[in-house]
Amino acid sequence: QVQLVESGGGLVQAGGSLRLSCDVSGSSFSVNAMGWYRQVPGEVREFVATATNGGSTRYADSVKGRFTISRDYVKNTVYLQMNSLKPEDTAVYYCYANILLRGRSLLEGYWGQGTQVTVSS
């Protein structure tokens, strides 16, 4: 069974920084793209950033220049370095991964449980 576990959320003042981590655990799988989404209560979950196996990255316009996504391909971990945080970045941040289970032919999407990020003004 594959699990994604996030860590690193918390409370920070505007202008501050946080680093989120997401570890993929389990056995008999390979990871394709990994990334982050965020969600505010009552709103749709929105894309934040993604990183492919080839090293390509993509960001939402709202976080470009402030957030950086990176991966440790050996540890199956994805990070989100968040700088110059704003109150509007407050949300629950969810990690996702596109995973190929051994014996399967299609990628499957997995989500973490979410970690709260709160930015005070």
Side-chain angles (χ1 to χ4, degrees):
Q1 183 154 354
V2 175
Q3 282 190 314
L4 277 62
V5 179
E6 300 107 332
S7 60
L11 173 64
V12 64
Q13 288 188 331
S17 298
L18 283 174
R19 188 191 195 210
L20 305 183
S21 300
C22 174
D23 296 309
V24 183
S25 63
S27 61
S28 304
F29 67 91
S30 60
V31 181
N32 195 275
M34 295 187 73
W36 296 89
Y37 278 68
R38 65 187 182 186
Q39 189 170 24
V40 175
E43 297 187 10
V44 176
R45 190 172 296 188
E46 67 171 3
F47 168 77
V48 175
T50 188
T52 69
N53 272 359
S56 298
T57 58
R58 185 166 61 90
Y59 297 91
D61 288 343
S62 59
V63 307
K64 278 181 183 176
R66 300 187 298 121
F67 291 11
T68 302
I69 189 171
S70 60
R71 289 178 61 177
D72 184 323
Y73 294 92
V74 174
K75 295 181 180 179
N76 284 324
T77 299
V78 64
Y79 305 97
L80 187 67
Q81 178 65 45
M82 305 185 293
N83 298 329
S84 302
L85 282 161
K86 305 175 182 180
E88 51 263 44
D89 294 317
T90 296
V92 177
Y93 284 70
Y94 294 91
C95 167
Y96 80 88
N98 291 333
I99 289 173
L100 183 64
L101 298 175
R102 188 171 64 184
R104 304 281 182 90
S105 58
L106 295 176
L107 292 170
E108 299 177 37
Y110 286 78
W111 293 90
Q113 81 286 356
T115 185
Q116 177 70 46
V117 171
T118 303
V119 184
S120 62
S121 56

